[in-house]
Every structure is written in C-alpha cells, then in structure tokens.
Amino acid sequence: MEAIARLNNVPTSPRKMRLVADLVRGQRVGSALSILKFTPNHGAAKLEKLLLSAIANWQAKNPDEKLEEADLYVKTIQVDGGRMLKRLRPAPQGRAHRIRKRSNHVTLVVDAFNSEVTADEVETKENAN
C-alpha cells in the first residue's frame, strides 16, 4: 500500500529541485535517505524531510507491518512549478527588468516492493480459475 506526501511552495526553482529528485527516483528508502543527506544542493534537505514524512504516512496507514520488512522504495516523485513572485529590478536608462522568483510543489509516493502484483501472479491466478 502506498503513502503520499506533498510539499507546496518550496522557494527553489523547479529545475533545481528536479535535479535532486532525479537522484532518488526509484531508489530504496534507505539509499534515498543517504543520497539526500550527503547531497549539497539546497533542495536535498527539503526532500529528505519530505521522504521522512512519506515514511511516517506509510507507517500510519500500515500499523501492523514492520518498516524493516516492508522494503519501501520511492515509487514516484514529481516536481511541478508553483507560484511565481514577480519583482522589478532597476535597469539602465530608467528601465526595469522583471525578476521571477520561482517556487515548486513536490509530490512523493512511497510503496513497498512486495505489494506489487506481477504478471506471473496474475497469470497463475487466471489459470487456477
């Protein structure tokens, strides 16, 4: 059973956050946490906290299962553009340049490996019927 965690209006550009998100997509939770802990990018600390939140959400959904035996992994991680603050900066000859301060929304889904149904299992169930 999967668990979802969302983080809205992170004051980092989506492009920079996607660089960090690509590092942990599809990784097991333990290795993803270690990658995020030692990645120097600004968004890594925020994603590490979000991943811990997703793990806590999974534990709340599955109180009878142990975390160590669940074999969790990062199923999907999606970074979307958030709201944009628009500011003006003075430029030469009385002009102004627009500064766009970008933000992003991150959605992270954690799931257990053993909860996936493979094609072989479906085929054996169909043959049994």
Side-chain angles (χ1 to χ4, degrees):
M1 178 174 244
E2 61 186 29
I4 300 171
R6 289 187 179 90
L7 185 61
N8 290 332
N9 295 320
V10 182
T12 306
S13 71
R15 185 176 181 179
K16 291 178 185 177
M17 189 64 87
R18 282 186 196 110
L19 289 173
V20 181
D22 290 340
L23 295 174
V24 297
R25 185 174 287 122
Q27 297 283 331
R28 295 188 189 271
V29 168
S31 64
L33 283 172
S34 62
I35 288 170
L36 291 173
K37 185 172 182 74
F38 296 109
T39 302
N41 295 11
H42 178 70
K46 306 242 184 215
L47 280 183
E48 182 183 4
K49 194 171 180 182
L50 181 67
L51 182 56
L52 290 172
S53 175
I55 293 167
N57 291 346
W58 185 87
Q59 284 179 323
K61 275 187 167 182
N62 305 301
D64 54 336
E65 294 186 38
K66 291 185 179 179
L67 182 63
E68 295 81 17
E69 297 172 359
D71 200 22
L72 294 178
Y73 74 105
V74 179
K75 187 174 183 181
T76 59
I77 182 166
Q78 183 176 356
V79 180
D80 298 321
R83 64 188 175 118
M84 194 180 314
L85 298 174
K86 295 179 180 172
R87 302 287 184 258
L88 293 177
R89 180 171 205 116
Q93 298 181 358
R95 297 188 183 103
H97 290 305
R98 181 174 287 171
I99 303 294
R100 292 176 302 214
K101 297 187 176 190
R102 300 174 189 268
S103 66
N104 62 61
H105 305 313
V106 184
T107 305
L108 192 138
V109 179
V110 172
D111 199 5
F113 266 118
N114 55 10
S115 68
E116 291 183 17
V117 178
T118 61
D120 295 333
E121 292 175 6
V122 173
E123 187 176 321
T124 56
K125 288 180 183 176
E126 290 176 356
N127 291 339
N129 292 333

